[in-house]
Amino acid sequence: MSDSKPLIIALDFADSRAAYQLVDQLDPGLCRIKIGKEMFTRYGPELVKRITASGFDIFLDLKFHDIPNTVAGAVSAAADLGVWMVNVHAGGGRAMMEAARKSLGDKPATRLIAVTVLTSLSSQDLHEVGVSGSAEEQVARLARLTAESGLDGVVCSAREIALLRQNLKPDFLLVTPGIRPAGDDAGDQKRTETPATALARGSNYLVIGRPVTQAADPLLKLRQIMQEIHSKI
Ligand code: C5P
């Protein structure tokens, strides 16, 4: 395990009060927080600032995808907010990713990663948008392009970890959602992996939402997940 704090909790709420209530129950020494498009669109930078002020590192999951100049500006704005991690779509291409990387020149504290192929897309969906190879090939291709463009890592499913670890440098970050602690309900996730297995396969950070956010005692759940990880690794 490369980071002693591998858990990133997905703050997927429609209402900021519920989000703040959850954050108040968590420990910034044990996890980081992911803020996505819904919460950011409703509550904006204020939400990021308040949660950062509580001591949490923020992964701002806005998946920017636009012309290079626009994405560079957006990534730079995210870094100015003090976020720990931000992401773009690798499909935006090399020039877009390089511009985004360059915009972080004097703000190296913000990690920049990319999304390769959304796990919601089937092979048929990919064919419809002109991708003729398999989803796996496209993931590998875009992850390579992300690394060549100087980014720090990619978001990937647990199934993709082994493939990407084989082909990319050991310090390239793999951030993995679709994680379920042993015995937890998978919900709408189709292919889940346990925290310990995903880390053992080579993931650096695990994105976990509902198993923690919907737990009766979220902090206890967080501690149990950390115990599960330490007992297996
Ligand atoms: O509640 P759950 O653990 O399923 O939440 C997972 C989080 O990771 C959500 O914020 C979801 O949008 C995100 N995510 C995902 N699968 C991806 C990319 C992101 O589940 N391929």
Side-chain angles (χ1 to χ4, degrees):
M1 196 193 313
S2 52
D3 190 314
S4 61
K5 207 165 59 172
L7 301 184
I8 303 175
I9 306 305
L11 201 62
D12 294 323
F13 292 99
D15 160 29
S16 63
R17 269 177 317 174
Y20 290 129
Q21 243 172 40
L22 174 81
V23 168
D24 284 346
Q25 294 176 68
L26 298 177
D27 176 354
L30 289 182
C31 67
R32 297 180 166 94
I33 301 283
K34 178 173 90 68
I35 293 176
K37 285 190 171 91
E38 181 179 2
M39 290 229 81
F40 192 76
T41 303
R42 287 186 195 280
Y43 302 108
E46 199 48 44
L47 178 83
V48 174
K49 286 181 193 159
R50 273 186 64 173
I51 298 177
T52 302
S54 310
F56 288 92
D57 290 338
I58 305 287
F59 169 18
L60 191 60
D61 179 19
L62 298 183
K63 303 184 182 73
F64 297 128
H65 189 168
D66 211 312
I67 60 171
N69 188 54
T70 301
V71 169
V75 164
S76 175
D80 288 343
L81 258 181
V83 306
W84 163 77
M85 179 177 274
V86 63
N87 60 359
V88 299
H89 267 286
R94 186 188 297 271
M96 187 202 80
M97 289 196 279
E98 285 179 352
R101 165 85 277 159
K102 202 167 163 209
S103 79
L104 288 177
D106 57 345
K107 299 155 194 149
T110 301
R111 286 135 187 87
L112 178 61
I113 64 169
V115 173
T116 57
V117 177
L118 293 170
T119 48
S120 54
L121 294 175
S122 66
S123 299
Q124 175 64 25
D125 294 327
L126 287 174
H127 292 166
E128 276 181 4
V129 296
V131 176
S132 51
S134 69
E136 208 175 60
E137 282 163 7
Q138 183 69 352
V139 166
R141 176 184 297 120
L142 289 177
R144 238 182 357 257
L145 183 64
T146 301
E148 286 170 16
S149 305
L151 272 60
D152 300 307
V154 290
V155 179
C156 73
S157 83
R159 289 197 165 193
E160 296 158 359
I161 299 170
L163 168 80
L164 296 179
R165 267 288 159 250
Q166 269 171 28
N167 295 307
L168 294 156
K169 287 192 186 147
D171 62 351
F172 193 69
L173 301 178
L174 301 182
V175 178
T176 314
I179 299 297
R180 287 293 176 270
D184 271 48
D185 185 11
D188 56 357
Q189 296 279 12
K190 300 274 187 296
R191 296 179 294 269
T192 62
E193 198 47 90
T194 67
T197 306
L199 290 171
R201 288 205 182 140
S203 176
N204 300 90
Y205 295 104
L206 311 175
V207 176
I208 306 185
R210 290 159 290 179
V212 171
T213 61
Q214 305 302 313
D217 184 337
L219 183 58
L220 178 64
K221 186 72 187 184
L222 207 54
R223 290 196 175 121
Q224 285 170 345
I225 295 172
M226 286 307 290
Q227 260 168 20
E228 188 185 319
I229 290 171
H230 287 304
S231 69
K232 301 247 166 80
I233 290 186

